[in-house]
Amino acid sequence: MSEGKKFDTDKIQYDLIDPYALEDMAKVLTFGASKYGRYNWKGVEEYRYEAALMRHFEAYRKGEKFDDESGVSHLAHVLVNTMFLYCLEKEK
């Protein structure tokens, strides 16, 4: 059998994204979509995501691992709020 080639060394490596972090982000987004509607986040002011990000991060720093309302990791909420800010900034 011949050795195959694949020229992918300069390609984006999505496999480097932790699947558990991605899954928990999807859980946060699913919870938010159920509560507020899909893509509702696009119409919210950035400062509100900054505040939410900090609330979740400070809860984590104080030793609280999971959000009471969603049951998902506070750090997953931090990642999602960071994603919202990133997306809103990129759209400017």
Side-chain angles (χ1 to χ4, degrees):
M1 179 177 276
S2 66
E3 192 172 312
K5 291 184 181 182
K6 179 83 171 100
F7 298 104
D8 59 1
T9 53
D10 293 332
K11 305 287 181 178
I12 295 173
Q13 298 178 33
Y14 285 98
D15 59 306
L16 296 175
I17 299 172
D18 181 77
Y20 297 105
L22 188 61
E23 180 180 27
D24 280 353
M25 287 178 69
K27 289 176 185 177
V28 170
L29 290 163
T30 301
F31 177 81
S34 175
K35 184 175 179 179
Y36 302 109
R38 293 176 67 87
Y39 302 108
N40 173 75
W41 62 269
K42 290 186 176 190
V44 177
E45 300 92 344
E46 290 179 32
Y47 77 89
R48 300 187 73 181
Y49 294 123
E50 292 169 1
L53 185 157
M54 293 306 299
R55 282 193 303 273
H56 285 288
F57 188 65
E58 290 306 310
Y60 169 79
R61 285 185 1 120
K62 292 176 182 176
E64 188 178 315
K65 302 301 180 199
F66 298 96
D67 177 67
D68 287 337
E69 189 178 7
S70 69
V72 184
S73 164
H74 279 296
L75 291 178
H77 282 270
V78 169
L79 290 170
V80 168
N81 281 287
T82 303
M83 182 192 78
F84 289 162
L85 290 169
Y86 175 83
C87 291
L88 292 171
E89 179 68 25
K90 195 166 174 137
E91 288 180 358
K92 289 183 183 178

